């Protein structure tokens, strides 16, 4: 199949399913400056953005585009060097 990049747009169930199946190598996370509400569902699920504050993820770039913030993370698997 040789799929090198796949864009996933969906909710926390899709994200958590791909993550649990160990099918995520890289994440480009785009966040707006404004919070829509306090009642929304976190798109990354229960753990929220804290998933990226673990040794399993390495921040490889970050930048702002206007008022928005873009981070790119790479998955570090056991035995891999960061």
């Amino acid at each position: 199949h040789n799929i090198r990049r796949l864009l996933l747009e969906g909710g926390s169930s899709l994200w958590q399913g791909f993550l649990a199946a160990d099918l995520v190598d890289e994440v480009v996370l785009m966040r707006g400056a404004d919070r829509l509400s306090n009642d929304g569902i976190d798109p990354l699920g229960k753990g929220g953005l804290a998933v990226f504050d673990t040794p399993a993820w390495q921040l490889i770039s970050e930048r702002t585009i206007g008022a928005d913030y873009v981070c790119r993370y790479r998955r570090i698997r056991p035995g891999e060097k960061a």
Side-chain angles (χ1 to χ4, degrees):
H1 290 74
N2 201 24
I3 298 171
R4 300 194 42 84
R5 291 196 181 266
L6 179 66
L7 171 67
L8 297 176
E9 290 185 311
S12 61
S13 295
L14 181 66
W15 158 253
Q16 290 174 355
F18 271 77
L19 189 64
D22 199 24
L23 296 173
V24 181
D25 297 318
E26 184 177 297
V27 171
V28 178
L29 182 65
M30 303 176 83
R31 297 189 316 180
D34 298 326
R35 186 176 188 99
L36 297 178
S37 79
N38 291 329
D39 300 327
I41 298 171
D42 192 311
L44 300 178
K46 191 175 185 177
L49 294 172
V51 70
F52 298 113
D53 293 329
T54 67
W57 294 96
Q58 176 187 26
L59 178 65
I60 53 177
S61 68
E62 57 186 328
R63 64 187 176 135
T64 56
I65 301 174
D68 297 334
Y69 184 64
V70 181
C71 296
R72 192 168 143 219
Y73 296 91
R74 181 174 73 91
R75 181 81 180 261
I76 306 298
R77 291 185 169 76
E80 275 186 48
K81 293 184 180 182

